[in-house]
Amino acid sequence: MTLHADRVRWNRGGALVVDGVTLTPRPGATVGLLGPNGSGKSSLLRLLSGTARPDDGTVTLDGTDLRALSRRSVARTVAVVGQHTHTDVDIRVRDVVRLGRIPHRGPLGSRPATDAAAVDAALAATGMTDKADRFWHSLSGGEQQRAHIARALAQEPRELLMDEPTNHLDIRHQLELLELVQRLPVTTVVALHDLNLAAAYCDEVVVMAAGRAVAAGPPAQVLTPELIGEVYGVRATVLVGEDGVPTVVLRPAAVSAPA
Amino acid sequence: MASVAGAITLGPAEVSLVNIRDVLLNHLGLTDVPVRAVKEAIVWEERLPRALTAAACGAGLGLCGAVLQALLHNPLADPFLLGISSGASTGAVVIGVLGLGGSVLGLSGGAFVGALVAFGLVLLLAGLSGGGTDRVILAGVAGTQFFAALTSFAIFAFADADETRGVMFWLLGSLEGVRWDDVLLCGVVVLVGGAWALRQSHALDAFAFGDDVADSLGIPVRRTRLVLLGVTALITATLVSIAGSIGFVGLVLPHAARFLVGPRHARLLPATVLIGAVFMVWVDAVSRVAFQPTPLPVGVGTALVGVPAFVLILLRRRRVA
C-alpha cells in the first residue's frame, strides 16, 4: 500500500485546478509529474501531502483517508520539498535539516542519538556534510535546495513529494539529485519541467493539462511527439537511445521542421 | 536574582544588600533580625514587588515577541501588533475618563477587557479575510490604528488636563505602586504562559520556512497559531493592564537573544525570558532614580536604554559575520 489519489478534484478560488486525477504510484517507484505551467502539478502535490483537501475524491495513505489522520502521523511517512521556501531566520544548515525530526518527537521529547544519526545521514546523502555549519543565507540557490531535500530525508519518509526540485540547480546537481531520488528506497512523486530528466530518471510519468491527467505510463510510451505537441504546443522529435531511454528534442512551433 | 537585589538598593532611601537579605529571610520566617520599620517597608512593600513585576514584564513581553515573530514569520512582530496595547488604552480611557464601570473594574480591569476585545476583533477580521499571516498582521495594524483613534477621541472629547496626564503616563508604561497581588498575577501568567510556549518550541521552529513547511512537518498550523496567539494575548493583556504598554522590549529583545543563542526556540525562549527580566529590572531602577523625584515612564526608559544597547549588539555582530 502507498499514497493513493482517487479521482481528486480541487476547486481553488473558483478555478478547477485538479479535475478528477487518479494516481497510484508503485511502492519505491519514481513518478514524474509533467505538464505546462498551471496544469495542476503543484496543486496535485498539495492534495497528496494533505496540505490542501480535495473537494471531491479521496487521498489515502495505506488505505486510510488523509483527513482521518493527524498531521503528525502523515508527516512521519510523507515528506515534502516545495518551491519558494525561504526564511528570514538566521539559521544554520544543520538546524534546517534537524527540522525534519520534528514529526518523530515522542511524548517525552526527542531522542538525540537517533535524531543526530538521521540528520548526519541526510546531510551525507545530499553532499551537504561540509556545509552543515553554514548559515542558510550564505548558501547558493542550489545548496538551499539540497538542504531542503536533506531536511525531507531526515524525516525518514516512505513517500517523498517534490515540486520542481531541480530549479536553481546546475546540470550536474540536477543529475545528482535525481540519481539520489531514484536510488532512495522511497516512493517519489516529483513535478518536473525538463522532459529529458523525467525520461531518464522516472519509472513512470503522468502528464497533466488543465487539471487533468492526459497520459500516464513509462516515459518511452508516453513521451511521443504527438502528445508533446498537444500538451505543450511545441514541435518535438523523440529519439530513443540504445538503453530505451527517450530523448526529446524541441523545436519552436512557429518554425517548420527541416525537410 | 542578583539584578533584583541590586536594583532594590537604588533609590532615594538608602538600603543595603544586608538589609535586603535580612528582610527577605525574616519574611520567609528563617531569621528574626531586627530591621528598621521604614527600611522594611521600602524593601518589602515597595521595591521588591516593583522589581519582581518589572522582571515579569520584561520576561513576558520578550517571550511574546519571540513567539509572535516565529508564528507570523515577521521579524517586526511585537506583543502589541494585534491591537492589544491600543485596545487596553481604550479600555483604560473608557474607565478613567468616562467613568463607566470604574468602581467594579478599575483602570487595570478596563485595560484588560479592552485588550482582549481588541484582540478578539483583530482575530475575527483576520479570520474573515482568509487567515494567512499577512492577513493577521494587516488586521492587527487596522485594529491598532482604530483603537488608538478611539482613545485619542475619548481624551480629546471628554478628558480634562489632569485626566489626560494620568492616562498618558499610564500609556507610556509605569510600575508605580504595584503591589504583591500584581506580582503574583504577573508571575503566574508569565510562568504558565512561558511553560506552554516552551512545550511548543519545536512547533515554533517548524514555522521558520512558512506555513507549508510547518504543515508538512506535522504541525497543525492553524490550531497551533490560534492557541499560541491566544496565549500571547493573555500574557500581554495582563502585563499591559498592570504596567501600561512598555514598548521596545517585545520587539527587540528576542533579536538580541537570537544573536546570543541562535534561532532554536528551546534555547531562544528561556534566553529571551532571562534577558527581558534582567533588562527590565535595571531599566525600571534607572527610570526610578534618574530624574528624582519625578519618575520617568518606564516605557521611555526601555527605548532610551535599549536602543543603544541593541546598536552595540548589531555592530559587534556585523564584525563577527
Side-chain angles (χ1 to χ4, degrees), chain B residues 1-51:
Chain B
M1 291 285 273
S3 286
V4 170
I8 293 173
T9 63
L10 289 179
E14 243 179 71
V15 175
S16 71
L17 286 170
V18 175
N19 291 146
I20 295 166
R21 186 198 67 196
D22 291 343
V23 170
L24 279 182
L25 292 180
N26 286 351
H27 273 271
L28 291 173
L30 296 174
T31 56
D32 195 12
V33 184
V35 182
R36 278 199 317 194
V38 180
K39 289 198 175 179
E40 155 99 27
I42 287 175
V43 171
W44 188 253
E45 298 300 333
E46 201 187 308
R47 292 195 193 160
L48 184 59
R50 182 170 175 149

Side-chain angles (χ1 to χ4, degrees), chain A residues 71-146:
Chain A
R71 292 308 297 153
R72 199 166 81 118
S73 57
V74 173
R76 287 179 172 189
T77 311
V78 183
V80 181
V81 177
Q83 288 191 65
H84 316 301
T85 37
H86 293 291
T87 183
D88 290 325
V89 180
D90 266 332
I91 188 169
R92 289 180 198 276
V93 171
R94 184 180 297 279
D95 289 329
V96 173
V97 178
R98 208 189 319 248
L99 292 177
R101 300 307 298 166
I102 289 174
H104 295 283
R105 288 170 54 91
L108 301 174
S110 52
R111 289 163 301 166
T114 322
D115 288 351
V119 168
D120 287 341
L123 285 166
T126 48
M128 292 295 284
T129 304
D130 57 333
K131 301 194 174 68
D133 292 319
R134 293 263 301 272
F135 277 106
W136 174 260
H137 288 106
S138 73
L139 300 181
S140 70
E143 289 165 340
Q144 291 182 346
Q145 189 69 355
R146 282 194 281 155

Side-chain angles (χ1 to χ4, degrees), chain B residues 5-280:
Chain B
I8 293 173
T9 63
L10 289 179
E14 243 179 71
V15 175
S16 71
L17 286 170
V18 175
N19 291 146
I20 295 166
R21 186 198 67 196
D22 291 343
V23 170
L24 279 182
L25 292 180
N26 286 351
H27 273 271
L28 291 173
L30 296 174
T31 56
D32 195 12
V33 184
V35 182
R36 278 199 317 194
V38 180
K39 289 198 175 179
E40 155 99 27
I42 287 175
V43 171
W44 188 253
E45 298 300 333
E46 201 187 308
R47 292 195 193 160
L48 184 59
R50 182 170 175 149
L52 290 176
T53 308
C57 286
L61 293 174
L63 176 84
C64 292
V67 169
L68 288 172
Q69 286 166 11
L71 282 182
L72 300 174
H73 322 301
N74 194 319
L76 294 179
D78 84 350
F80 305 134
L81 179 77
L82 301 171
I84 288 169
S85 66
S86 65
S89 61
T90 306
V93 165
V94 166
I95 301 276
V97 175
L98 305 180
L100 299 176
S103 54
V104 190
L105 286 170
L107 212 60
S108 293
F112 185 76
V113 171
L116 290 189
V117 167
F119 172 73
L121 286 177
V122 164
L123 271 201
L124 187 68
L125 180 57
L128 288 178
S129 65
T133 52
D134 53 337
R135 299 305 160 93
V136 174
I137 292 171
L138 280 177
V141 169
T144 303
Q145 296 291 333
F146 178 69
F147 282 96
L150 269 187
T151 307
S152 304
F153 175 75
I155 291 175
F156 176 77
F158 302 110
D160 62 32
D162 272 356
E163 285 168 346
T164 307
R165 190 176 150 78
V167 169
M168 284 302 291
F169 194 85
W170 183 86
L171 286 181
L172 288 168
S174 164
L175 292 161
E176 289 293 301
V178 294
R179 297 182 315 267
W180 275 105
D181 41 353
D182 297 327
V183 176
L184 198 65
L185 182 61
C186 288
V188 167
V189 166
V190 170
L191 281 181
V192 172
W196 187 294
L198 196 60
R199 267 186 63 84
Q200 297 290 322
S201 57
H202 63 280
L204 293 171
D205 290 341
F207 277 99
F209 285 92
D211 290 1
D212 282 353
V213 171
D215 176 80
S216 79
L217 291 170
I219 308 297
V221 169
R222 293 188 78 128
R223 194 176 75 212
T224 304
R225 182 149 55 218
L226 196 64
V227 168
L228 280 172
L229 285 181
V231 169
T232 60
L234 279 178
I235 297 175
T236 312
T238 307
L239 298 180
V240 168
S241 69
I242 285 165
S245 41
I246 299 167
F248 182 82
V249 177
L251 175 62
V252 176
L253 290 192
H255 291 290
R258 231 172 256 128
F259 287 159
L260 296 174
V261 302
R264 292 176 69 194
H265 287 86
R267 272 186 291 173
L268 175 63
L269 295 181
T272 310
V273 162
L274 196 66
I275 293 173
V278 170
F279 176 79
M280 271 303 283

Side-chain angles (χ1 to χ4, degrees), chain B residues 286-306:
Chain B
V286 170
S287 307
R288 259 191 307 129
V289 299
F291 294 94
Q292 285 181 52
T294 318
L296 187 68
V298 71
V300 176
T302 49
L304 284 182
V305 179

